[in-house]
Amino acid sequence: MFKVNDNYLKLPGSYLFSTIGKKVAAFSEANPDKTIIRLGIGDVTQPLAPAIIESLHGAVEEMAVAETFHGYAPDLGYEFLRKAMADNDYKARGCDIAADEVFISDGAKCDSGNIQEIFSLDNKIAVCDPVYPVYVDTNVMAGRTGIYDAVSETWSDVIYMPCTAETNFAPELPEETPDIIYLCFPNNPTGSAITKDELQKWVDYANKVGAVIIYDAAYEAYISEENVPHTIYECEGARTCAIELRSFSKNAGFTGVRLGATVIPKDLKQGDVTLHSLWARRHGTKYNGAPYIIQRAGEAVYSEAGKAQLKDQVAYYMNNAKTIYEGLKSAGYTVSGGVNAPYIWLKTPDKMTSWEFFDYLLEQANVVGTPGSGFGPSGEGYFRLTAFGSYENTVAAIDRIKAL
Ligand code: MLT
């Protein structure tokens, strides 16, 4: 008789954004006359930039002709995109990353969930609290996290690094030594960022204790401050301790197109084994590559026209972030984030729990956000709003919240 992977049964509830989706769908069905504004999941709303559309059209035409048709993509990604990323995301910033250290995928969510497979189950992970739930949930599925305590909402074998107002929503070096450290900056969900000097401390620490940092840089395009690093490889020594996840979802609006990348420097080793070789083996075995058409669209992100158009798109969303930040602040809310990230993190009013505020906002203002507690116990009493809506909807949502 078959047996299921009972690690899945340990997961409390469904995936955060599925839970929210179901709640909103139920509310919408019961209140068909209400216009709901969705500032919950960080999903983009603006159309793809013209340079990307042009590239997509060109690639589709190529697929219509035998001479330029493309079948299976190289499993590690097309050289043209790997090189564009190495040149623009790394070399242009003075970082030593080669094209063959970039692995193209269909998105950072999958990579951030799959990467744990190349590590032994004995490894202890450390995560920020609050945190993007994929990092923890996928380690639960693998059986790496121990026992769940429903009261504290924590796993016995996970090291939690609280990111609270007291720590400026940044983690401190943990007391217990981890093997794998997940960091995401600019941060989802709090919208906080850390300076290059602060990130250097993590790189030095990881190299000292022999840990790997899995660095999620999905929001780097939103950095507006000078001293905030765009990649962990700006730090000295990161080649021997860090894997970086890159996404095209937020910087180029590919949430529905799907494209991402994982960077693994060849210097990242345990003994003679490079993590690069393990990830290459996994990619080759389990993955047939992101589609040619989509990788050509990704290449257009790095064209001169693409860069200019995407700069405007990021500015559009960051204007929303400012609108949310300033609107809520003027209404007396305690807010942070929104300067180097498209997320605004606010304290719930009147000591409401995060889910109480979620229901209140949905029912009274018909605005959807994300409860902070869904990201971890230290998120309780907080709430996340995304700047990825349209400007009109963002203004309307803030007006509704102010009117409560
Ligand atoms: C979020 O809302 O946290 C993100 O959009 C989720 C994701 O990128 O998968």
Side-chain angles (χ1 to χ4, degrees), residues 54-287:
E54 197 185 318
S55 187
L56 279 167
H57 280 300
V60 168
E61 292 305 326
E62 283 185 68
M63 295 297 269
V65 180
E67 287 71 31
T68 51
F69 170 79
H70 286 76
Y72 288 128
D75 50 23
L76 307 186
Y78 282 101
E79 172 71 15
F80 61 78
L81 181 56
R82 303 172 90 189
K83 185 168 170 355
M85 293 190 75
D87 288 349
N88 289 278
D89 290 328
Y90 298 107
K91 293 207 170 85
R93 295 193 183 281
C95 304
D96 174 22
I97 292 294
D100 67 357
E101 293 174 319
V102 180
F103 296 80
I104 305 301
S105 74
D106 58 356
K109 182 179 183 181
C110 311
D111 284 357
S112 68
N114 291 329
I115 194 74
Q116 48 78 27
E117 275 187 34
I118 63 170
F119 296 98
S120 148
L121 286 183
D122 298 345
N123 285 294
K124 193 143 199 183
I125 67 162
V127 294
C128 292
D129 172 24
V131 69
Y132 180 47
V134 173
Y135 313 151
V136 176
D137 287 4
T138 53
N139 277 284
V140 175
M141 291 168 176
R144 198 177 280 112
T145 55
I147 297 160
Y148 185 68
D149 177 9
V151 177
S152 64
E153 297 181 358
T154 57
W155 294 89
S156 59
D157 292 352
V158 173
I159 300 169
Y160 291 88
M161 305 183 291
C163 298
T164 60
E166 289 70 44
T167 67
N168 239 343
F169 301 107
E172 288 175 350
L173 295 177
E175 277 167 25
E176 186 184 349
T177 307
D179 302 300
I180 302 171
I181 303 164
Y182 287 86
L183 294 178
C184 170
F185 286 108
N187 187 253
N188 177 18
T190 66
S192 65
I194 58 173
T195 64
K196 187 173 160 187
D197 287 350
E198 284 163 343
L199 186 56
Q200 183 67 54
K201 283 186 200 143
W202 285 93
V203 169
D204 293 344
Y205 172 76
N207 276 322
K208 190 172 123 211
V209 302
V212 171
I213 297 174
I214 298 174
Y215 192 74
D216 187 344
Y219 299 94
E220 68 81 26
Y222 292 84
I223 293 170
S224 69
E225 292 179 322
E226 272 296 306
N227 57 352
V228 175
H230 286 254
T231 155
I232 195 165
Y233 303 114
E234 287 180 40
C235 296
E236 200 75 38
R239 282 187 58 86
T240 53
C241 70
I243 292 174
E244 183 162 284
L245 307 172
R246 305 291 292 216
S247 170
F248 286 74
S249 288
K250 321 292 170 164
N251 62 338
F254 279 37
T255 54
V257 176
R258 307 309 306 151
L259 193 65
T262 289
V263 177
I264 310 188
K266 291 183 180 164
D267 300 348
L268 183 42
K269 301 179 182 175
Q270 194 213 42
D272 291 340
V273 182
T274 64
L275 293 186
H276 183 281
S277 66
L278 300 188
W279 190 243
R281 185 70 173 82
R282 185 197 182 278
H283 236 55
T285 305
K286 292 197 176 185
Y287 192 58

Side-chain angles (χ1 to χ4, degrees), residues 385-401:
L385 290 174
T386 159
F388 286 125
S390 67
Y391 177 67
E392 295 71 24
N393 274 347
T394 302
V395 170
I398 297 307
D399 285 347
R400 290 187 198 176
I401 296 173

Side-chain angles (χ1 to χ4, degrees), residues 10-85:
K10 299 177 192 163
L11 288 162
S14 56
Y15 182 61
L16 173 62
F17 293 106
S18 311
T19 308
I20 292 172
K22 281 184 207 136
K23 270 183 165 266
V24 176
F27 179 82
S28 178
E29 204 180 310
N31 300 276
D33 54 318
K34 306 275 193 222
T35 312
I36 297 171
I37 300 179
R38 290 174 167 78
L39 302 182
I41 191 164
D43 196 4
V44 294
T45 53
Q46 296 308 293
L48 293 172
I52 294 166
I53 292 292
E54 197 185 318
S55 187
L56 279 167
H57 280 300
V60 168
E61 292 305 326
E62 283 185 68
M63 295 297 269
V65 180
E67 287 71 31
T68 51
F69 170 79
H70 286 76
Y72 288 128
D75 50 23
L76 307 186
Y78 282 101
E79 172 71 15
F80 61 78
L81 181 56
R82 303 172 90 189
K83 185 168 170 355
M85 293 190 75

Side-chain angles (χ1 to χ4, degrees), residues 52 55-56 254 257 259 292-301:
I52 294 166
S55 187
L56 279 167
F254 279 37
V257 176
L259 193 65
Y292 173 73
I293 296 166
I294 307 302
Q295 294 197 47
R296 279 291 181 205
E299 184 188 29
V301 167

